Amino acid sequence: VSMDLNSASTVVLQVLTQATSQDTAVLKPAEEQLKQWETQPGFYSVLLNIFTNHTLDINVRWLAVLYFKNGIDRYWRRVAPHALSEEEKSTLRAGLITNFNEPVNQIATQIAVLIAKVARLDCPRQWPELIPTLIESVKVQDDLRQHRALLTFYHVTKTLASKRLAADRKLFYDLASGIYNFACSLWNHHTDTFLQQVSSGNEAAVLSSLERTLLSLKVLRKLTVNGFVEPHKNMEVMGFLHGIFDRLKQFLECSRSIGTDNVCRDRLEKTIILFTKVLLDFLDQHPFSFTPLIQRSLEFSVSYVFTEVGEGVTFERFIVQCMNLIKMIVKNYAYKPSKNFEDSSPETLEAHKIKMAFFTYPTLTEICRRLVSHYFLLTEEELTMWEEDPEGFTVEETGGDSWKYSLRPCTEVLFIDIFHEYNQTLTPVLLEMMQTLQGPTNVEDMNALLIKDAVYNAVGLAAYELFDSVDFDQWFKNQLLPELQVIHNRYKPLRRRVIWLIGQWISVKFKSDLRPMLYEAICNLLQDQDLVVRIETATTLKLTVDDFEFRTDQFLPYLETMFTLLFQLLQQVTECDTKMHVLHVLSCVIERVNIQIRPYVGCLVQYLPLLWKQSEEHNMLRCAILTTLIHLVQGLGADSKNLYPFLLPVIQLSTDVSQPPHVYLLEDGLELWLVTLENSPCVTPELLRIFQNMSPLLELSSENLRTCFKIINGYIFLSSTEFLQTYAVGLCQSFCELLKEITTEGQVQVLKVVENALKVNPVLGPQMFQPILPCVFRGIIEGERYPVVMSTYLGVMGRVLLQNTSFFSSLLNEMAHKFNQEMDQLLGNMIEMWVDRMDNITQPERRKLSALALLSLLPSDNSVIQDKFCGIINISVEGLHDVMTEDPETGTYKDCMLMSHLEEPKVTEDEEPPTEQDKRKKMLALKDPVHTVSLQQFIYEKLKAQQELLGEQGFQSLMETVDTEIVTQLQEFLQGF
């Protein structure tokens, strides 16, 4: 039924009013009712009526707009289920643009957005009148209407500019060239009006015209950047862009007459930033069209940022944008000629020439000096923060959220990029700055200390470029180490900077023999009276242990002191971010020294449960604790069992899909679970119990599946009988579900788990995974086409056939019923397929297993097996070629897969010691036929038994079915038997 406008309006209005209620008893049923109406014809016409009626309650109108907007997303497209009729859409489109007179700002913005949403789908084909209507409406004299029409014009342009399909781009190009002239004159008009009014002192009028300037500039930005294929060929576009610099100067000058702290100021700064965004976007999208603007952009930016011109008018965000503009021109790939100049395009060479002409020696030197001696200096504000909130200071310095738009990182990146591009010019300049700072600095001269801090910052940032020009080892011993020993409080910026600087050079150039001196210094600085210095020292320590030249033997004498001091630092800091950072350093240390950490971790092990409890609200800190635990468990090995009272509940929570924190903790939680199993000396009831979390994890079938399979294998190796008895039935169900919908690689992972279970527990394994085996059997008979899957099928079946013959017989019987065939015939087909697809198997263990499994069918007087005898021998000889290696001393062959108890592998300094799981796998291998039965001996015995069964003549005629070349090879392998 269609809604009648008048009667329905009252009802819908009533329900919308209830839906704005604070009382859930009123709110919920109202929301339900609105949900049902969503697909009712006429509902959106009623909503339009409601939100365009300015006498109604604001909240109700706001809600009506939101429901309308959601309706566009869901039901406006023709192909959508419950799509709106063409008639209703036509009425709605007309209704949306009859009046641009919405009095409430927020609602006006929402209406503009929803008109843009409809335009995205319908403009221009179904809605040709939209743009002409907007163009007419932005010309009207009425202030409100003009503003609202301009707001809508902007949102429509923005939306249409974002469409990416070629046909849509073409339409936008047509639109842009049609209205560009108009958009320019509109913007110029509002801009001139604003500039005239600034001096009038009428704040309301100034704000109103500035608002229009901003909106019309936003429209122009979208048209300029996205509206032309070759913008440099369009006079108007290039005229507008060239004009930006003068306009920017006018606007920057205006900031002198507008107060520092009001709405006008905020809008003015937004407009100034928008000008710079137009240039940056244009450079990004059309680097070669930007070429004529390079010179002007560089002159403008450099004069405002690096000379007196900018004094009194620039502000931080503007400086950041100018620096970005310089940086993007310096780094732009399009402007860099090839090594071979002739290979570069004329456009590239043209741009390169303009850059080279601008960046002369004096200009570069001046930029470099100003960056270091002006922008790198720690500010009053930063020094106050250092004193009052040291942790806040370190977080800010290492990249808090506001960081990427703030000035310091921006100046540092610009310095790095310019230094990299022009390092031959700038290296001597920086070296000269270093020269003037030899020896200690007077602690009373704060300015000198800050200058030195800034120069050291530059030397750290340019470490890679200065590699050949600085003898860092000498400088470290003669200059930097003594600086670290000045313990005066006012010297702390330098202590922090020097230890940071060393961290920057560690991986660039730092002699290994000097490490102990550095460790000594780190131990002292971790006891520094200043917290910022201690935190920075921890960071450099992490860079040192992470470096590929790190040597454990040099580090061990300092390990206890460092670990104790780091642990104290972890307790002292209070901010979540800093705790995470220090934990991360501790983790790196534990990871590098591995089992050597055991004597020192007691304190940390006792503290972590407390920290875990305190960090309930901080999931990222909990992630850091999980990472630390992973390294701790690896370092502790079997002793990690003592951590179980804390460790297992942590794993339980982190991997429980029904608990909200799992979103953050799952990945690290699974890793910790796996490492705990690998290092567990024996199973405990609690360790077994957390496996209850696995079934829902397998249902998620996410990127964590691989770790889940490793965990399941871990349990099979740890305690196959208890584990399989408790969980195999459920696990088997999960596997059957997974096998239906998973990738080939996933299938292989599932089957490998089954294969492991059969290998570890030949009696219980086949019973427990019985429901999966028919599909394996069928896959073999039908000749599964993916080699890796087929190989795994044969691995699983080989285990059953070799290690549980009675189970194999019952499976064969079951399959014979399913296929409606004789058991013998089915067995024959299976052997034939096995022989045929033996090449799919690449793992040596599985190849030997196949030979053992098929040989185990002998001796036999079954005609089918005799019929396949030749294939069985072929596979056995292939197996012998795989495993037999010649003993050079005796000249005899032996099976290289055989293992004995006596071999203890030697662990070298660099290798990880074997985990408990490695030891378990070794013990299992000692019971596995693949590693305990000599294939040579097995073939000999089976052939002998077959000969005894058939008699000499019967056996001879059987052997004659085998290729003579194969028989010869077999005899060679069996010499001496």
Side-chain angles (χ1 to χ4, degrees), residues 179-189 220 236-237 240:
I179 64 171
Y180 197 82
N181 237 339
F182 170 72
C184 269
S185 54
L186 185 71
W187 170 70
N188 274 317
H189 163 72
L220 261 183
E236 276 120 12
V237 174
F240 161 66

Side-chain angles (χ1 to χ4, degrees), residues 146 280 302 386 391 490 600 667 935 945:
Q146 189 190 57
L280 283 163
V302 169
W386 183 327
E391 286 186 54
R490 297 187 61 167
Y600 315 118
E667 198 172 323
L935 181 58

Side-chain angles (χ1 to χ4, degrees), residues 510-740:
F510 192 79
K511 228 189 4 268
S512 189
D513 317 352
L514 298 174
R515 292 280 169 118
M517 292 164 84
L518 172 59
Y519 295 146
E520 194 76 45
I522 287 177
C523 288
N524 291 329
L525 287 174
L526 282 172
Q527 303 169 68
D528 197 277
Q529 69 232 36
D530 184 77
L531 183 57
V532 175
V533 174
R534 295 201 295 277
I535 294 170
E536 194 66 70
T537 305
T539 310
T540 291
L541 172 57
K542 178 188 168 304
L543 293 168
T544 313
V545 297
D546 274 350
D547 185 52
F548 68 98
E549 285 190 6
F550 174 81
R551 291 202 344 241
T552 317
D553 57 322
Q554 287 180 320
F555 186 71
L556 288 177
Y558 306 93
L559 175 60
E560 183 175 7
T561 312
M562 284 203 198
F563 199 82
T564 312
L565 291 168
L566 278 173
F567 175 63
Q568 285 169 6
L569 180 59
L570 178 65
Q571 289 172 294
Q572 286 156 355
V573 296
T574 54
E575 293 286 322
C576 189
D577 283 339
T578 339
K579 277 200 186 294
M580 275 163 56
H581 178 58
V582 180
L583 261 180
H584 191 52
V585 180
L586 274 164
S587 288
C588 291
V589 172
I590 298 170
E591 187 180 12
R592 279 321 275 267
V593 300
N594 204 324
I595 57 177
Q596 317 265 14
I597 199 68
R598 288 177 188 177
Y600 315 118
V601 292
C603 55
L604 182 63
V605 166
Q606 283 173 335
Y607 175 65
L608 285 177
L610 174 68
L611 187 58
W612 180 264
K613 213 171 148 59
Q614 290 169 346
S615 62
E616 208 162 338
E617 302 299 307
H618 303 289
N619 287 312
M620 298 319 286
L621 177 51
R622 285 197 154 182
C623 287
I625 297 175
L626 289 173
T627 311
T628 309
L629 284 170
I630 290 169
H631 296 310
L632 257 179
V633 170
Q634 285 168 324
L636 288 171
D639 294 347
S640 60
K641 186 166 183 272
N642 304 330
L643 298 184
Y644 285 4
F646 166 53
L647 198 56
L648 301 184
V650 165
I651 295 173
Q652 159 70 42
L653 173 76
S654 310
T655 59
D656 182 347
V657 184
S658 66
Q659 300 282 348
H662 87 271
V663 180
Y664 302 94
L665 308 178
L666 182 60
E667 198 172 323
D668 295 318
L670 285 170
E671 196 57 44
L672 178 59
W673 190 356
L674 176 61
V675 165
T676 302
L677 284 169
E678 288 173 342
N679 289 281
S680 174
C682 58
V683 76
T684 68
E686 295 75 20
L687 187 54
L688 204 53
R689 199 173 305 129
I690 50 176
F691 194 79
Q692 291 169 352
N693 283 357
M694 185 55 75
S695 175
L697 285 166
L698 293 175
E699 279 169 38
L700 274 183
S701 67
S702 63
E703 62 279 6
N704 294 313
L705 261 185
R706 183 172 288 200
T707 315
C708 290
F709 290 135
K710 286 183 182 166
I711 289 169
I712 299 168
N713 282 326
Y715 276 104
I716 290 172
F717 291 129
L718 179 61
S719 164
S720 65
T721 307
E722 277 178 275
F723 172 66
L724 290 173
Q725 283 168 341
T726 319
Y727 292 111
V729 176
L731 194 55
C732 201
Q733 280 175 324
S734 300
F735 279 0
C736 289
E737 287 303 308
L738 270 175
L739 286 170
K740 287 179 200 160

Side-chain angles (χ1 to χ4, degrees), residues 437 439-441 448-456 479 483 491 494:
L437 298 174
T441 305
L449 291 173
L450 292 180
I451 290 275
K452 192 178 222 179
D453 173 75
V455 173
Y456 282 2
Q479 171 84 12
E483 302 253 31
Y491 218 75
L494 276 178

